[in-house]
Amino acid sequence: MSGTTTVNEPATRNSASTGERADLLESLAKHRHFLRFATRDLTDEQAGRRTTTSQLCLGGLIKHVTAVERAWTRFILDGPSAMPDFTTMTEADWARRADQFRMLPGETLDGVLLDYADVARRTDELVATLPDLNATQPLPKAPWSEPGARWSARRVLMHIIAETAQHAGHADIIRESLDGAKTMG
């Protein structure tokens, strides 16, 4: 698509959720909004453009957060088998992972945003229906994971929120560098 993309706001608040679950979903929805809002009215070319010395672009940030949210929600259900063993990844594996951070040929901002909305909907459904936020899984093997550590579903959801918030901040900087528009402030 060569035109501009309008950010569609998916319904992210499940009315059946109350208490802690509603709070988690509300916080996640807020940070998702800021991340998506950074892409408002952009073309595919603009969404793929690097505006800082970093390798990051707006479309790539959306792709990365989508992949992270998808993987961690699978982890809640399936444990470490839902993720790679990061200690055995090859250079080719790391290169494929780096592709999460950029818009590749043939990818569109609309497509990236639709994928993110689908993952958000699935995460919200999981949070609303998960039997126990205290249920834990052992962390996948990774150089940054403490051996034997376990995370609860709650901890995973807080990690997804933190990851989304961090990248929403990155997106704000990239967008301001692109055309002066801001998502916050």
Side-chain angles (χ1 to χ4, degrees):
M1 176 178 153
S2 60
T4 59
T5 297
T6 302
V7 178
N8 294 320
E9 297 290 332
T12 55
R13 180 93 188 231
N14 186 315
S15 60
S17 296
T18 59
E20 179 183 20
R21 291 170 195 256
D23 291 345
L24 289 166
L25 289 174
E26 184 177 332
S27 181
L28 184 52
K30 176 180 73 174
H31 297 300
R32 284 177 182 149
H33 164 76
F34 282 123
L35 181 59
R36 286 188 311 265
F37 191 62
T39 68
R40 70 194 178 284
D41 302 324
L42 293 181
T43 66
D44 294 336
E45 186 276 325
Q46 289 170 312
R49 190 181 308 157
R50 292 176 41 216
T51 63
T52 67
T53 59
S54 139
Q55 294 294 315
L56 300 176
C57 67
L58 291 168
L61 280 174
I62 301 281
K63 282 177 54 179
H64 172 68
V65 171
T66 301
V68 165
E69 189 169 322
R70 180 182 288 124
W72 279 109
T73 54
R74 283 195 332 251
F75 170 84
I76 289 171
L77 297 171
D78 301 327
S81 66
M83 295 187 169
D85 177 343
F86 291 97
T87 64
T88 63
M89 287 179 60
T90 65
E91 282 188 40
D93 294 330
W94 287 110
R96 279 189 296 279
R97 186 170 168 83
D99 284 344
Q100 288 179 357
F101 291 96
R102 56 184 157 262
M103 297 277 289
L104 300 176
E107 291 181 329
T108 65
L109 181 55
D110 280 340
V112 169
L113 288 168
L114 284 172
D115 192 30
Y116 189 37
D118 182 56
V119 167
R121 180 186 52 76
R122 290 172 191 241
T123 299
D124 293 352
E125 289 171 2
L126 175 64
V127 172
T129 61
L130 198 62
D132 184 4
L133 292 178
N134 292 316
T136 66
Q137 298 278 9
L139 287 178
K141 289 183 182 178
W144 50 83
S145 292
E146 182 181 332
R150 299 178 68 88
W151 276 12
S152 67
R154 176 184 296 101
R155 173 85 184 264
V156 170
L157 293 168
M158 291 187 314
H159 177 73
I160 291 169
I161 292 166
E163 181 92 8
T164 306
Q166 177 180 2
H167 290 309
H170 292 145
D172 190 39
I173 292 167
I174 293 168
R175 180 61 191 259
E176 188 173 359
S177 298
L178 180 67
D179 64 4
K182 296 180 183 180
T183 58
M184 298 176 241

